[in-house]
Amino acid sequence: MLLLNCFMLLYFFSYISCFILGICKQRRNPYIECVLLFAIGVFLCTSYFCGSDWRSYELMYDDIDCDNLFFNYFAEPGFYLYMVAFKLVNVNFWHFFIFTKFLCFVLCVSVIKQYLKEDFWISLGYFLPWFGFYLFIDCPLRNLIAVSIFIHAIYYFTNRNYFTFFFLVIIAILFHFSALLFVPFVFLLKRKIRSGYYIIIFVLVNVLFTSRDFVVFLVQVLFGNIPYFNVKIESYLLNENEFAVGRVFSVGMLVQFVFFAMFIIYRKYVERSVNGIIIFNFVMLYLILYRVATTIEVFSRIQLYTSVFFCISLFLLSRVFAKKSRIIYFLYLFWVASIGTIKLFESNKYIPYSSYLQYVFKQKPSFEYRDSYNYKNSPYTP
């Protein structure tokens, strides 16, 4: 039990330390900041037995036959070719896996720092429990890569380098087709859309999308005739699985209502920042998608493309408040971030935590041992 408590502390320490550095701005030490950022990266990217998707990716990687490419592979081609590049030089799966996660972690942090400079810690502290633990420890790797490329591509979009932007978006699509769904929205990002329109859309979505059957019907009408999406609809929405189980209401939903009201009232404080209109539109898209993802959880993977910009905007919103009130606001964000850790207690994916570094100089456990470890040793249900 003591060991399990230590594992839990690692999760709490990672985001609590970010909030401490964000609030205690005057006492920051650049060396401590670098060490902490590296430690968080190591914690997230070297996870070993925990998580779920690594099992299918390891089997996928080991099954690659360079003499018979794409044999028995039915996912996005870009990810397969990316794996082949590592397989050709005999890179071990876990070295490939950890390297890729580190690369994505650097991209995510660099995007936050690009907009907030040295004030990125609060946003990172919120990002970790709500999105980071899922992205890097549970790790839907194809989705993670696509999200990392997409949010990086937005830099080129804001600088009118449309060729590079669309080139990167195509690459993101080749890793996860969900990135394709954001292409139509791209042309609206720079437009200043009236708050009234957003309020109407937000209300309609929160009324209509409380029904799971309505969401399934709408998705079937829009994408049911496309073979790839038809298979996904069958897999994720029509069959019984963890992604088909949503909630009509949650505490997180109530929090998002509060955020929506705050962003509508104080939108000018977000839009005054560099590329503020684009960030604000991402925020609205995130909050609208949150309702859909609450009803059917698989849509939370689509919402991930907006997650980094939502976290950035939360710090930008702090400019509304005076110094003392701002600390109260940051503590409120800390409380909301702590709600995000509830998912750690909902399954055995995160506890107990294990790191690949524990086995660097040891014989590596078998796939069967690693596969069953958290099921056998976690106090939480599958």
Side-chain angles (χ1 to χ4, degrees):
M1 184 59 68
L2 178 61
L3 189 58
L4 287 176
N5 290 335
C6 291
F7 291 137
M8 287 302 301
L9 287 176
L10 289 174
Y11 289 101
F12 286 113
F13 174 79
S14 62
Y15 78 91
I16 290 174
S17 57
C18 290
F19 273 97
I20 291 174
L21 283 177
I23 294 174
C24 302
K25 183 177 179 180
Q26 306 301 325
R27 300 183 179 182
R28 290 181 193 164
N29 183 308
Y31 298 105
I32 293 177
E33 288 185 297
C34 289
V35 170
L36 177 60
L37 202 56
F38 179 74
I40 292 172
V42 170
F43 168 65
L44 293 176
C45 301
T46 66
S47 58
Y48 201 17
F49 306 156
C50 39
S52 58
D53 284 15
W54 65 264
R55 295 167 176 82
S56 59
Y57 288 123
E58 182 169 355
L59 294 173
M60 194 184 298
Y61 189 86
D62 291 342
D63 285 344
I64 292 176
D65 183 355
C66 295
D67 295 323
N68 192 12
L69 295 178
F70 289 97
F71 174 73
N72 201 31
Y73 180 81
F74 305 100
E76 291 82 354
F79 181 69
Y80 186 86
L81 294 174
Y82 177 69
M83 290 192 297
V84 168
F86 286 85
K87 189 79 172 184
L88 284 172
V89 291
N90 297 316
V91 174
N92 172 276
F93 166 75
W94 281 97
H95 297 166
F96 153 80
F97 194 58
I98 291 169
F99 170 80
T100 303
K101 289 205 290 181
F102 257 113
L103 195 60
C104 292
F105 177 73
V106 170
L107 283 174
C108 289
V109 172
S110 66
V111 170
I112 298 175
K113 293 185 72 172
Q114 174 191 326
Y115 287 93
L116 300 179
K117 307 304 180 186
E118 70 277 3
D119 293 321
F120 73 97
W121 286 107
I122 294 292
S123 293
L124 181 62
Y126 190 91
F127 174 79
L128 290 177
W130 275 97
F131 312 105
F133 296 155
Y134 169 69
L135 280 170
F136 292 94
I137 293 180
D138 195 12
C139 196
L141 189 61
R142 290 178 296 124
N143 207 174
L144 171 62
I145 296 171
V147 168
S148 302
I149 294 172
F150 179 83
I151 62 174
H152 182 65
I154 295 298
Y155 168 81
Y156 297 97
F157 178 77
T158 57
N159 287 280
R160 300 180 181 274
N161 189 341
Y162 298 122
F163 176 82
T164 303
F165 169 74
F166 282 109
F167 175 75
L168 290 174
V169 168
I170 290 171
I171 293 176
I173 292 169
L174 291 175
F175 278 90
H176 205 277
F177 289 140
S178 60
L180 180 63
L181 299 176
F182 276 85
V183 174
F185 294 106
V186 165
F187 301 99
L188 298 175
L189 287 176
K190 287 188 175 182
R191 296 179 63 87
K192 188 167 183 176
I193 301 170
R194 292 182 179 179
S195 297
Y197 292 151
Y198 275 128
I199 292 171
I200 292 170
I201 295 171
F202 186 76
V203 171
L204 286 176
V205 167
N206 277 278
V207 171
L208 296 176
F209 284 70
T210 54
S211 169
R212 180 180 176 277
D213 293 335
F214 175 79
V215 178
V216 173
F217 169 76
L218 186 62
V219 172
Q220 284 181 313
V221 169
L222 294 175
F223 305 107
N225 293 325
I226 304 174
Y228 172 81
F229 289 109
N230 190 47
V231 171
K232 294 298 183 182
I233 291 169
E234 182 113 2
S235 173
Y236 288 140
L237 304 184
L238 302 182
N239 296 331
E240 289 297 324
N241 62 76
E242 62 175 308
F243 295 113
V245 179
R247 295 148 292 163
V248 173
F249 188 78
S250 66
V251 175
M253 193 72 233
L254 180 60
V255 170
Q256 306 313 315
F257 287 152
V258 174
F259 281 140
F260 180 80
M262 291 179 68
F263 278 112
I264 289 295
I265 294 170
Y266 300 114
R267 65 178 292 176
K268 64 181 180 181
Y269 290 91
V270 176
E271 292 181 337
R272 283 174 183 171
S273 63
V274 178
N275 299 314
I277 292 176
I278 292 175
I279 294 174
F280 180 81
N281 287 332
F282 265 120
V283 170
M284 292 294 104
L285 192 56
Y286 168 85
L287 292 168
I288 290 167
L289 286 171
Y290 191 92
R291 168 69 269 175
V292 186
T294 302
T295 303
I296 298 181
E297 291 191 3
V298 68
F299 285 101
S300 63
R301 294 199 176 197
I302 300 173
Q303 189 188 21
L304 292 170
Y305 291 92
T306 64
S307 61
V308 167
F309 296 101
F310 178 71
C311 294
I312 291 170
S313 69
L314 290 176
F315 180 82
L316 296 177
L317 200 61
S318 69
R319 295 170 180 174
V320 173
F321 305 101
K323 186 175 181 180
K324 291 184 179 179
S325 299
R326 189 175 301 168
I327 293 175
I328 296 173
Y329 171 70
F330 287 154
L331 291 175
Y332 170 74
L333 292 183
F334 172 75
W335 172 74
V336 176
S338 298
I339 293 175
T341 60
I342 292 174
K343 62 187 172 209
L344 302 181
F345 301 94
E346 293 178 346
S347 77
N348 54 24
K349 293 178 181 179
Y350 300 96
I351 302 295
Y353 173 85
S354 56
S355 173
Y356 184 79
L357 297 180
Q358 296 173 251
Y359 297 87
V360 169
F361 301 108
K362 299 179 183 179
Q363 184 177 357
K364 306 300 183 290
S366 67
F367 179 89
E368 291 73 20
Y369 178 85
R370 290 182 281 113
D371 178 40
S372 61
Y373 185 84
N374 272 45
Y375 292 100
K376 293 179 179 178
N377 294 280
S378 177
Y380 308 115
T381 57

